[in-house]
């Protein structure tokens, strides 16, 4: 892989994806166990509404975990597409004026030319030293795409 290809690979959190996967498996297994074992317990009434409620709750939790696991930032020639937990936003390289990763910040922040900031949840403090390396890689990408005078 060339240096340019390495620089332009997507940003993805490690710890959050692993935790989301493990919790997703536990949620699915737990919901199945509840729906199978609880109705067999003596003196417990567990009807169809309870099964539907358990399934809907488990699906809601799985959806939230999937959203967390799908967080990423994808650099391209024109700019950066940031998929956070709730929304996806694309910004052109020229719009990004700075990359900050303060000591108390849970994730990288992009300072934009319009005065706004954009969180990049794909680079998370929970990933430790890797997060610092990834923030530097993002800053390098921003610097490489600065308009030349």
């Amino acid at each position: 892989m060339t240096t340019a290809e390495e620089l332009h690979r997507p940003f993805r959190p490690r710890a959050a994806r692993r935790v989301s996967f493990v919790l997703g498996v536990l949620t699915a297994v737990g919901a199945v166990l509840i729906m199978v074992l609880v109705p067999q317990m003596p003196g417990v009434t567990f009807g169809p509404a309870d099964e539907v409620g358990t399934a809907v709750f488990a699906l809601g939790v799985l959806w939230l975990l999937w959203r967390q696991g799908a967080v990423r930032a994808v650099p391209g020639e024109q700019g950066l597409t940031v998929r956070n937990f709730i929304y996806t936003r694309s910004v052109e390289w020229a719009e990004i004026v700075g990359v900050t990763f303060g000591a108390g910040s849970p994730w990288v922040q992009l300072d934009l030319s319009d005065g706004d900031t954009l969180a990049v949840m794909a680079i998370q403090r929970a990933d430790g030293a890797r997060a610092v390396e990834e923030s530097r890689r993002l800053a390098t990408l921003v610097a490489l795409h600065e308009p030349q005078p």
Side-chain angles (χ1 to χ4, degrees):
M1 190 177 289
T2 68
T3 304
E5 288 174 343
E6 182 69 21
L7 274 175
H8 285 84
R9 76 181 191 284
F11 297 91
R12 298 198 61 157
R14 280 192 182 158
R17 284 183 21 211
R18 289 178 181 151
V19 168
S20 294
F21 178 77
V22 169
L23 290 177
V25 169
L26 292 174
T27 298
V29 169
V32 169
L33 287 174
I34 287 171
M35 291 190 297
V36 169
L37 297 178
V38 170
Q40 297 176 7
M41 296 174 71
V44 175
T45 304
F46 195 81
D50 297 314
E51 289 179 359
V52 169
T54 301
V56 167
F57 178 77
L59 288 173
V61 170
L62 289 171
W63 180 80
L64 292 171
L65 292 169
W66 171 74
R67 287 298 299 176
Q68 178 61 39
V71 165
R72 66 180 175 272
V74 181
E77 287 305 314
Q78 300 302 315
L80 184 69
T81 301
V82 178
R83 180 177 182 175
N84 285 336
F85 188 77
I86 300 294
Y87 62 88
T88 300
R89 180 172 175 192
S90 293
V91 292
E92 293 183 13
W93 291 116
E95 293 178 71
I96 304 170
V97 295
V99 177
T100 57
F101 196 29
S105 298
W107 43 73
V108 164
Q109 297 280 332
L110 298 179
D111 297 320
L112 305 178
S113 59
D114 64 1
D116 199 7
T117 60
L118 175 62
V120 181
M121 295 176 70
I123 304 173
Q124 299 183 0
R125 175 90 39 215
D127 287 335
R130 180 179 181 273
V132 174
E133 291 171 16
E134 291 291 86
S135 68
R136 288 184 184 137
R137 179 167 68 97
L138 180 56
T140 300
L141 277 170
V142 170
L144 286 174
H145 289 91
E146 283 182 348
Q148 300 300 320

